Amino acid sequence: MVSHKRLQQWVKEAAGMCRPESIYWCDGSPAEYNRLCAAMVNTGMATPLNPAKRPGSFLFRSHPSDVARVEDRTFIASGNKDNAGPTNNWMDPAELRKKMTGLYSGCMKGRIMYVIPFSMGPIGSSISKIGVEITDSPYVVVNMRIMTRIGTKVLDALGKDGEFVPCLHSVGAPLQKGQKDTSWPCTPVIENKYISHFPEERTIWSYGSGYGGNALLGKKCFALRIASVQAHDEGWLAEHMLILGITPPKGEKKYIAAAFPSACGKTNLAMMIPTLPGWKVECVGDDIAWMKFGTDGRLHAINPEAGFFGVAPGTSMQSNPNAMLMIKKNSIFTNVVLTEENDIWWEGIGYEPPTGKKIDWTGSAWEPLSRKNGAHPNARFTAPAVQCPVIDPAWEDPAGVPISAFLVGGRRPTTIPLVHQAFSWNHGVFLGSIVGSETTTANIGAVGVVRRDPFAMLPFCGYHMGDYLAHWISIGKRTTADKLPNIFYVNWFRRSDDGKWLWPGYGDNSRVIKWIYERISGTGKGVETPIGYLPSPGAIDLKGLDLPSSNIGELLKVDPEEWLREVQSIKEHYGKFGAKLPIVLREELSALESRLKKALSS
Ligand code: GTP
Ligand code: SPV
Ligand code: MN
């Protein structure tokens, strides 16, 4: 039985408030997983996929109101409003608790309360941390079993009094006696959804949504929003970053971590097959990196997750073959098309929808000619990391992997070149702080508007973004410059005036990674420009690529006038942070402005 008094007490309190029909402690076994999936098939929540085509896999369709994270309903309830900062929604913690206690009261009636002990990171690693999620959603349980390490082994690691982050979750849809359940229970009223974080108490309360980052609380809520606060206090980094290993032909492997906003290419880069012969990418993680200094003075990263919750649309044997192979079995699909053969399909899967009856993500009969999307643009697959054909041999190394370079980037149709390198650590933090991107369907809200998203952490930083940037600056003071990763700004998403991609992307991004590898090895050729080092002419290997030279010219151009407009917009962005913005970043900005003005006048 559970010997952890505080955990027992917390579960008892939650049950007293939510009043479930019963309480179930998850052991994390395959039998438990199969039982829960079978039960969800019985209630109609899950559709088993064709065992000959997609063994051990299931399809779920969410409620049309519950298809992505809800940043507008995400709260950082610090005791002091200023600690949440200008980019987070703040609520007074006492007021929020009162409001949510009301909502939680009796919210699990007619449902089972699942208790999921989980570890973010390999059990026993000094970088890992434990959480316990209470949820009334069996969908959450089966996803958490893929995305994290759950069950008895985590309880054992927790012992009698180990530290854990309490994560309370309810879909907010109690069942009255005799009431039939829906296939995706949630609160359709957006104002009743709360994704709440109490950073001082290291506690998470989530209510009303069953989707992704709103409900799988180990992911964005714990591993980023709460962990970023812990990292700030304890001197490490919790980042929205992929981690990959890159090995050149006959060369030494190096590890790179990259921060791109949601749906901006992390999964794709993390398991890419390079088009450059002889180069190899191996994947440690595709979404989150926790990094601490090792005794060698370098930053070492672990992937706190154990699976991938990836964007389905656009994933194909052309764009991301490793992901396609990874999801051949034991995977969960949410909001994709169901074919007559009980297989899955989505826009950009690389082949036409098969003939026969098809059902779209809303559960309606669907014809490709209807011009409606068959899959939701934020449809996702959940797959175990071990199924990734290029999972790195060190992906579960408790010591983490040493990081040699950081990449930052986003979707910028103009201005930002394909790649540039920071002059120094502080200049690199400046580049991270100015990252902007067109918004995507990973959040419910406007899509395609450029917004500043420092280090891709705008929706995920659990405290004041100004303090966060100061923390990045301070990380640079904790070791010698030669041991710090170099920082690069990449942009796969430049478009021509007629809206076409200027850069092929995907496997061809290996050409940019090669230059980065060469730069950090001291061999790559670069030219100094006002914004940083750019590849010298010919320094990016374009062998075998049929790309008009005008595209390359455009991709590697630094237009001082365009950049001076960028500077104005960065000034507005920086204006939000007031005195909390590190002075060195303001200095970086004015130095950039002077360099651009000088370039313009010469
Ligand atoms: P989250 O899981 O939301 O954090 O997203 P992510 O950063 O892992 O994004 P992902 O790799 O799933 O990519 C999202 C979308 O971007 C997909 O539709 C991809 O097809 C597209 N994409 C990824 N890499 C590239 C690229 O190099 N070029 C272009 N044009 N599109 C890309
Ligand atoms: C993201 O939105 O950045 C994701 C998906 O990785 S979710 O888990 O829903 O946050
Ligand atoms: Mn993400």
Side-chain angles (χ1 to χ4, degrees):
M1 252 337 285
V2 185
S3 59
H4 198 296
K5 286 265 154 51
R6 245 181 324 118
L7 172 56
Q8 251 178 348
Q9 183 58 31
W10 173 62
V11 171
K12 208 173 129 196
E13 278 167 23
M17 179 164 69
C18 302
R19 299 201 286 284
E21 197 165 272
S22 59
I23 303 176
Y24 176 80
W25 290 74
C26 300
D27 62 24
S29 65
E32 173 185 272
Y33 180 86
N34 293 336
R35 223 164 45 232
L36 284 174
C37 288
M40 285 187 283
V41 169
N42 266 333
T43 61
M45 190 179 186
T47 305
L49 295 174
N50 186 336
K53 291 186 165 281
R54 204 114 357 217
S57 302
F58 299 87
L59 165 72
F60 291 81
R61 294 187 198 99
S62 79
H63 188 275
S65 71
D66 198 26
V67 292
R69 287 182 298 97
V70 277
E71 290 173 17
D72 282 351
R73 304 301 306 163
T74 300
F75 297 90
I76 302 296
S78 10
N80 178 346
K81 181 174 182 185
D82 196 41
N83 288 340
T87 57
N88 281 313
N89 297 315
W90 178 82
M91 252 180 97
D92 173 69
E95 193 188 318
L96 182 57
R97 268 186 203 279
K98 193 166 154 225
K99 175 80 200 170
M100 290 190 75
T101 302
L103 290 168
Y104 276 136
S105 175
C107 71
M108 292 190 187
K109 268 192 191 149
R111 299 191 184 279
I112 300 170
M113 173 190 265
Y114 300 91
V115 183
I116 319 168
F118 64 94
S119 175
M120 298 312 290
I123 295 168
S125 161
S126 62
I127 311 180
S128 301
K129 289 191 185 285
I130 288 175
V132 181
E133 177 160 355
I134 289 178
T135 181
D136 52 6
S137 162
Y139 170 84
V140 165
V141 179
V142 293
N143 275 274
M144 283 293 283
R145 183 169 181 276
I146 297 176
M147 294 305 296
T148 72
R149 296 134 176 112
I150 75 163
T152 312
K153 55 188 189 247
V154 179
L155 277 187
D156 292 345
L158 204 51
K160 279 195 172 66
D161 56 2
E163 282 292 314
F164 71 97
V165 169
C167 310
L168 178 57
H169 171 251
S170 171
V171 292
L175 283 174
Q176 305 312 322
K177 269 220 166 56
Q179 186 185 342
K180 198 179 167 321
D181 204 357
T182 63
S183 62
W184 186 278
C186 67
T187 305
V189 186
I190 184 99
E191 298 78 38
N192 282 343
K193 293 188 208 263
Y194 285 89
I195 318 300
S196 304
H197 308 73
F198 302 88
E200 285 99 0
E201 288 86 42
R202 316 275 200 247
T203 298
I204 298 157
W205 276 15
S206 168
Y207 183 90
S209 165
Y211 204 90
N214 300 332
L216 312 175
L217 301 187
K219 200 173 175 59
K220 300 299 157 83
C221 297
F222 180 178
L224 290 176
R225 298 197 191 94
I226 295 296
S228 63
V229 176
Q230 295 175 313
H232 174 264
D233 295 353
E234 298 164 12
W236 51 283
L237 291 168
E239 299 297 329
H240 192 206
M241 288 184 177
L242 69 89
I243 309 160
L244 64 80
I246 175 84
T247 313
K250 298 199 265 330
E252 174 211 349
K253 184 194 279 191
K254 290 186 195 289
Y255 289 97
I256 294 177
F260 310 150
S262 303
C264 289
K266 289 184 300 301
T267 306
N268 279 270
L269 189 67
M271 52 188 79
M272 167 237 295
I273 298 187
T275 50
L276 286 176
W279 286 74
K280 187 166 78 180
V281 164
E282 286 161 295
C283 176
V284 176
D286 82 330
D287 199 47
I288 300 173
W290 282 1
M291 290 167 280
K292 284 191 175 164
F293 283 105
T295 47
D296 57 0
R298 300 182 66 192
L299 277 169
H300 289 249
I302 65 160
N303 171 10
E305 304 191 278
F308 301 117
F309 183 63
V311 178
T315 309
S316 69
M317 281 311 280
Q318 289 74 45
S319 64
N320 192 347
N322 283 322
M324 291 301 283
L325 298 172
M326 170 173 94
I327 58 178
K328 270 185 174 291
K329 59 182 182 188
N330 310 325
S331 298
I332 293 170
F333 298 88
T334 309
N335 288 346
V336 303
V337 174
L338 180 70
T339 70
E340 189 166 88
E341 287 191 294
N342 281 327
D343 199 7
I344 45 92
W345 187 88
W346 50 70
E347 282 72 20
I349 199 169
Y351 52 86
E352 292 303 309
T355 54
K357 272 200 223 132
K358 287 167 284 290
I359 300 175
D360 71 10
W361 72 275
T362 67
S364 310
W366 178 73
E367 270 315 315
L369 293 176
S370 66
R371 290 224 239 112
K372 269 190 351 197
N373 279 337
H376 187 277
N378 190 42
R380 300 255 167 181
F381 55 75
T382 321
V386 287
Q387 286 183 195
C388 176
V390 294
I391 198 73
D392 193 84
W395 86 278
E396 293 196 282
D397 189 334
V401 297
I403 299 299
S404 299
F406 284 129
L407 274 49
V408 297
R411 292 175 180 261
R412 287 295 303 268
T414 65
T415 317
I416 313 294
L418 180 62
V419 58
H420 64 289
Q421 180 185 11
F423 295 127
S424 64
W425 177 262
N426 284 356
H427 183 231
V429 176
F430 171 75
L431 296 186
S433 80
I434 67 169
V435 162
S437 184
E438 292 178 319
T439 50
T440 65
T441 53
N443 171 47
I444 293 181
V447 171
V449 267
V450 173
R451 68 170 184 188
R452 299 282 161 194
D453 188 349
F455 285 98
M457 282 290 277
L458 181 74
F460 307 122
C461 186
Y463 61 105
H464 196 297
M465 191 52 95
D467 289 331
Y468 167 83
L469 294 171
H471 179 56
W472 264 91
I473 296 289
S474 78
I475 288 286
K477 300 200 176 90
R478 297 172 67 109
T479 193
T480 49
D482 59 311
K483 296 201 167 116
L484 284 169
N486 278 260
I487 302 180
F488 296 81
Y489 192 158
V490 300
N491 181 17
W492 316 141
F493 298 95
R494 279 295 287 265
R495 283 199 294 257
S496 61
D497 293 338
D498 57 357
K500 295 212 176 72
W501 302 120
L502 287 176
W503 178 249
Y506 303 103
D508 283 315
N509 292 333
S510 60
R511 300 171 187 278
V512 175
I513 302 294
K514 178 183 177 188
W515 182 73
I516 290 170
Y517 184 98
E518 289 166 352
R519 288 296 288 174
I520 58 185
S521 310
T523 58
K525 298 261 184 307
V527 283
E528 197 173 325
T529 79
I531 64 166
Y533 297 111
L534 260 84
S536 302
I540 294 216
D541 186 344
L542 298 174
K543 244 178 263 124
L545 187 63
D546 190 15
L547 194 68
S549 64
S550 59
N551 280 30
I552 266 293
E554 191 62 25
L555 284 162
L556 296 179
K557 185 183 75 180
V558 180
D559 179 342
E561 268 181 71
E562 227 180 340
W563 268 93
L564 280 166
R565 282 197 293 277
E566 186 76 6
V567 164
Q568 289 315 309
S569 127
I570 298 168
K571 280 183 183 165
E572 269 169 46
H573 162 59
Y574 272 10
K576 279 197 260 182
F577 303 116
K580 292 254 193 189
L581 188 84
I583 289 167
V584 288
L585 293 183
R586 258 186 230 293
E587 289 168 353
E588 287 291 345
L589 179 57
S590 45
L592 169 65
E593 189 172 17
S594 327
R595 291 192 301 266
L596 289 166
K597 285 187 171 153
K598 206 172 135 202
L600 199 60
S601 65
S602 66

